[in-house]
Each structure stands twice: as C-alpha cells, then as structure tokens.
C-alpha cells in the first residue's frame, strides 16, 4: 500500500483564504485540486510537503467558461469533463474537445482541473500544449488581490516548474478570440489514457482563403510544451495546401528536442511531430473553412 | 484531524490522519471492503466510488477531501434486498469472472445509465476505459450494462403503460360521472 508521507491537511474556502494560507505556510505547502498528478507523486515520495491546501471548494468561484467578443476566460478549477462537454468552448476552440477526449479516462476527468494540469507543468501534458497553441494568458493572483498576467512561455519555467510563486495561485486562463479560427489536436499514446508519446495542437486563422496566422504547440518533445514561431512565420500569408503542411511538419520535426526513452526513440518522436503537425493543420484549416 | 462524511446515506465521523486515502478509509476504517484497491496509481479503476454522485478513483482522493460530501460505494447500490438492474445485469450476462474489478465497473456503469439511459456499445466502452479487467471479460461487462439499460427501459415503459391505462380509466370514469350528472 502506497501512502504519502505525513502532512497537515487544510481546506481553503475562497481564493483569498487559499492565498492567506499560502502566505502563512510558504514553500512547505502545496495546493491540491484534482490531485491525480500530485498524490501519485507524493505516494512515490517524488514530492513531499508539510501542508496540503485543498482548493476543491473553490470550484464555485473558479469553475467557469465565459465567452466574450475578444477572449474566452476559463476558471482554473474548471474540470476536464466540463471542458469536454462545453458547447461554447467546442464552438470557439474545438482543439479543447479533441485533447480532452484523450486525456486520462472519464473517471479521472471528473476530478482533474485545467489549473492543476497547467501547474503540474509536465512536458507531456496535453492542456499545456493546447494553451500554448492558442497563445493563452495565465492570470496569477497574489496577496492583497494583486494580479499579474503571463504568457504560456513565461508560465512554464521548466519541467514541473511554473511562474506561480509561493503565496500565489493561478486563477484564470484567457484565450484570445480572432475571426476565421480553426483548431485541432492529435496525440499518439501507447494505450488509452496514457501520457503522449508525442502530441500536437494547431490553430489557424484564415481571411479570404489565406492564412493570416498559424500556431503549432507540441507536447512530450522537450523540457516544456513547445510553441514553434518558425512555423507561424512560414505559414503567414500563404494559401493552405498539402505541401505547405508538409513544410510545417518538417520544421516541427527539426525544431523539437525529444529524447529516446521507453515510449520511443528520438527519431520516431520527430517523425510523429511532423506527421501530427500536418494532420492537425489540415483539420484546423477544414474547421476554419466550415 | 476529524472528518465527517455521508457514506451510503449514513453520516460517519472519524479521527483520521490527513494523508489517509479515501479507499483505505472505506475499507480499513469503515470495513466496507466491497470497494477494491488495485494499482494504487489511479490506472486500474477497481477503487471507483461516487463522490457527490460522480465516479472517482478513491485511491487518489484523500479521505479528508470527502469531508462534508456524499460517498456511495458498491454496498449502497442495491435498494435493501432488491438488486440494482446493473447488479442483475452482471449476474444475467456473466459480467464477472474473478470479480475484482466488478464493484468499480458497476459504480461507473450505474453513473453512466443515470446520465445516458440508452448507451451504445462504444459509449459503454468509453465509460469504462479507465478500468482494467484482467480476466479480459470486457465483452460480457459491456453486455451486462446493455442488459441493465434494456431492463430499465422496459420497466419504465411498463410503468408508463400502467399509468396511461389508469389515466384512461379515470377519464372514462369522469365521463360517465359527467354523463350521469347531465
């Protein structure tokens, strides 16, 4: 039987309460939301904390999906299942439903949260790749209600490391809305619900048939989820075509940094990065046109 | 620390350690050993119980997190001596071999039918995709869930028919009464 090392359990009743607990307990405390990443790590003694602050009661405050003309705002405590089942989110960014269908399994998706996924900062994590693809902004709140907004590049400092400091909490993700958008996500995994061998997200913005902008985000091929600006530069102003997608795939393959491990060789992962980039770009363009 | 939760409609209060997992609270503290404990890493799904009506993997939920909430285990599936249609389905269609994954499978299946009374085979397979049957008995598990769905639909149709005929009878009675008055 695997159990975490001893810790004190605290329950936060509001965002401000959670921040005041973090302020008091500092680096010896960690927030726990769904817990499906943190608790297995604590059982394996890969992580130990003196205090766990349960923020599940904050779902009422931070569990929402709000669409506006300029951006979609998602509360950090929104659960995977809510993201999968949201019609407004699927209409704006179908990439979310694509990704959610391949994240863990339905029972785990009942508990896990968007904020928890991003704060875990696993390089293979799907929603981080989605948020990188969509150029998401992360809203971090600290003591006294002070908020700062950072990009995904700034948010993920390294594997399992984020810009969220002691005494701060990720409260919201903001996704910019621009016209003519299509998006898609694809993942290769060893078995249902597993971490990605490689996964790719694509978003394109069309105007009059031409690509105004495009973004590709990859997971499991480097220390963080990876946005590839060179693909955006190569696609801007072009008419979508198979040869263009192939070119983007080639850039993805040489721009990422996979390692050989039990999930596959680095060469195989580069091949997947190219192929999944092509597939998701193709699908994203189809969706932008429909 | 002290935790109070409702398990199968009974409120329980116990003194526990913060690190105690819900699966161990149910099995070792309350003695509800119907919930099984398998892989310990939220992969196999034998430990599935409901937390506020939603299936969760209880090896990855702290008992403290369930404080103030409703928990339902396989012991709370039957209504007294009457088995739930899901349990009947597992009996009728041989939905179990060794029985180890069965409690979790049944809790997930019950929750599925509550949301989707007529699930396709694909939808059933998707619902239990986070749960492992090492006897490779998925075909009969899927069949058991379909059996329960059909049984519940037939029972509901019968109830509706009875209600309809009762209503028709009442209308006829009312008509006769009205005629008599006229």
């Amino acid at each position: 039987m695997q159990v975490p090392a001893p810790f004190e359990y605290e329950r936060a009743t509001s965002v401000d309460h959670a921040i005041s607990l973090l302020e008091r307990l500092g680096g010896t405390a960690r927030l726990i939301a769904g817990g499906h990443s943190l608790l297995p790590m604590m059982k394996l003694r890969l992580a130990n904390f003196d205090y766990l602050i349960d923020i599940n009661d904050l779902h009422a405050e931070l569990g929402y999906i709000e669409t506006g003309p300029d951006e979609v705002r998602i509360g950090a405590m929104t659960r995977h299942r809510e993201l999968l089942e949201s019609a407004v989110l699927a209409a704006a960014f179908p990439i979310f439903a694509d990704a959610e269908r391949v994240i863990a399994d339905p029972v785990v998706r009942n508990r896990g949260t968007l904020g928890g996924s991003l704060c875990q900062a696993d390089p293979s994590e799907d929603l981080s790749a989605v948020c990188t693809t969509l150029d998401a902004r992360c809203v971090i709140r600290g003591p006294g209600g002070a908020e700062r907004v950072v990009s995904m590049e700034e948010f993920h400092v390294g594997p399992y490391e984020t810009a969220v400091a002691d005494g701060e909490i990720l409260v919201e993700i903001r996704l910019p809305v621009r016209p003519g958008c299509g998006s898609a996500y694809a993942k290769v995994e060893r078995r249902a619900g597993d971490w990605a061998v490689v996964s790719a997200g694509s978003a394109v913005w069309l105007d009059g048939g031409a690509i105004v902008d495009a973004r590709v985000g990859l997971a499991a091929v480097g220390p963080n989820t990876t946005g590839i600006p060179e693909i955006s530069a190569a696609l801007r102003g072009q008419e979508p075509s198979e040869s263009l997608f192939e070119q983007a795939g080639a850039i993805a393959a040489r721009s990422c940094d996979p390692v050989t491990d039990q999930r596959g060789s680095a060469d195989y992962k580069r091949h997947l990065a190219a192929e999944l980039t092509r597939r998701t770009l193709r699908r994203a363009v189809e969706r932008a046109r429909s | 620390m002290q935790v109070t939760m409702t398990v199968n409609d009974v409120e329980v209060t116990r003194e526990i350690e913060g690190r105690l997992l819900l699966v161990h609270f149910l099995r070792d503290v309350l003695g509800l050993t119907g919930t099984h404990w398998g892989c310990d890493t939220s992969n196999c799904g034998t430990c599935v119980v409901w937390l506020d009506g939603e299936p969760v993997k209880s090896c990855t939920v702290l008992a403290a997190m369930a404080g103030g909430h409703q928990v339902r285990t396989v012991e709370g599936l039957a209504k007294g001596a009457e088995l739930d249609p899901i349990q009947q389905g597992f009996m009728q269609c041989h939905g179990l071999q060794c029985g180890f994954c069965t409690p979790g499978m049944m809790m997930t299946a019950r929750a599925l039918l509550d949301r989707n009374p007529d699930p396709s085979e694909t939808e059933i397979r998707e619902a239990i995709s986070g749960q492992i049957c090492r006897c490779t008995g998925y075909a009969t598990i899927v069949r058991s869930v379909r059996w329960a769905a059909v049984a519940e639909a037939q029972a509901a149709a019968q109830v509706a028919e009875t209600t309809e005929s009762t209503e028709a009878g009442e209308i006829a009675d009312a008509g006769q009464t009205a005629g008599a008055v006229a």
Side-chain angles (χ1 to χ4, degrees), chain B residues 30-98:
Chain B
L30 300 185
L32 295 171
T33 52
T35 300
H36 292 165
W37 155 66
C39 71
D40 227 343
T41 49
S42 65
N43 283 303
C44 81
T46 61
C47 65
V48 169
V49 300
W50 291 359
L51 189 57
D52 295 333
E54 298 288 356
V56 302
K57 294 184 175 178
S58 62
C59 76
T60 316
V61 175
L62 297 170
M65 291 166 98
H69 294 274
Q70 301 275 338
V71 175
R72 188 163 293 273
T73 70
V74 70
E75 287 90 346
L77 202 52
K79 289 175 188 70
E82 189 194 337
L83 292 181
D84 188 276
I86 287 287
Q87 292 170 307
Q88 295 173 29
F90 272 69
M91 278 173 60
Q92 294 294 329
C93 302
H94 201 74
L96 63 152
Q97 292 184 49
C98 84

Side-chain angles (χ1 to χ4, degrees), chain A:
Chain A
M1 156 166 135
Q2 294 176 332
V3 291
F7 57 81
E8 293 293 321
Y9 172 90
E10 301 274 354
R11 185 181 286 201
T13 52
S14 68
V15 173
D16 291 339
H17 183 216
I19 292 169
S20 72
L21 285 169
L22 285 168
E23 266 191 294
R24 180 158 62 80
L25 304 170
T28 62
R30 182 59 62 99
L31 298 176
I32 184 165
H36 282 59
S37 298
L38 184 58
L39 283 176
M41 286 181 81
M42 292 180 73
K43 288 182 186 183
L44 296 168
R45 302 299 195 274
L46 295 170
N48 286 309
F49 300 97
D50 294 339
Y51 296 89
L52 279 191
I53 302 169
D54 181 358
I55 55 170
N56 279 284
D57 285 359
L58 273 53
H59 182 262
E61 203 175 340
L62 296 182
Y64 57 84
I65 300 169
E66 290 172 1
T67 51
D70 303 324
E71 60 186 6
V72 172
R73 297 178 173 217
I74 310 178
M77 279 300 295
T78 309
R79 300 199 192 271
H80 289 301
R81 174 157 149 200
E82 295 170 315
L83 294 169
L84 176 59
E85 293 180 353
S86 167
V88 289
L89 192 59
F93 300 115
I95 185 174
F96 263 97
D98 286 353
E100 285 295 355
R101 274 189 203 99
V102 292
I103 292 175
D105 60 68
V107 178
V108 169
R109 293 198 291 261
N110 282 340
R111 288 294 288 173
T113 65
L114 171 60
S117 295
L118 266 54
C119 288
Q120 174 72 6
D122 189 306
S124 311
E125 201 281 307
D126 297 286
L127 287 186
S128 297
V130 168
C131 289
T132 299
T133 303
L134 295 177
D135 199 18
R137 308 278 149 184
C138 307
V139 184
I140 301 168
R141 193 182 300 171
E147 285 190 349
R148 60 197 180 96
V149 183
V150 303
S151 68
M152 282 301 292
E153 285 78 20
E154 296 165 301
F155 184 79
H156 280 164
V157 177
Y160 310 102
E161 202 181 346
T162 71
V164 182
D166 293 347
E168 287 187 325
I169 171 173
L170 174 67
V171 288
E172 187 178 84
I173 307 303
R174 294 178 184 166
L175 307 166
V177 172
R178 290 185 276 162
C181 181
S183 60
Y185 193 78
K187 167 172 164 177
V188 169
E189 55 190 350
R190 293 176 302 174
R191 55 174 183 264
D194 197 5
W195 295 104
V197 178
V198 174
S199 60
S202 288
V204 297
W205 290 267
L206 300 185
D207 186 13
I211 296 173
V212 181
D213 198 3
R215 291 180 62 87
V216 169
L218 302 177
V221 289
N224 292 315
T225 55
T226 314
I228 303 174
E230 196 187 334
I231 293 181
S232 307
L235 266 53
R236 274 187 207 117
Q238 306 288 318
E239 294 285 327
S241 69
E242 277 302 314
S243 64
L244 191 66
F245 302 153
E246 195 170 331
Q247 187 192 338
I251 297 171
R254 67 175 146 79
S255 306
C256 64
D257 187 21
V259 293
T260 296
D261 60 14
Q262 75 274 19
R263 289 195 165 84
S265 69
D267 282 348
Y268 174 55
K269 292 179 182 181
R270 282 187 199 279
H271 165 76
L272 288 180
E275 182 57 34
L276 296 179
T277 296
R278 282 168 50 174
R279 287 185 198 174
T280 53
L281 277 172
R282 194 185 293 142
R283 189 93 183 90
V285 166
E286 279 170 21
R287 283 170 169 170
R289 282 172 173 161
S290 65

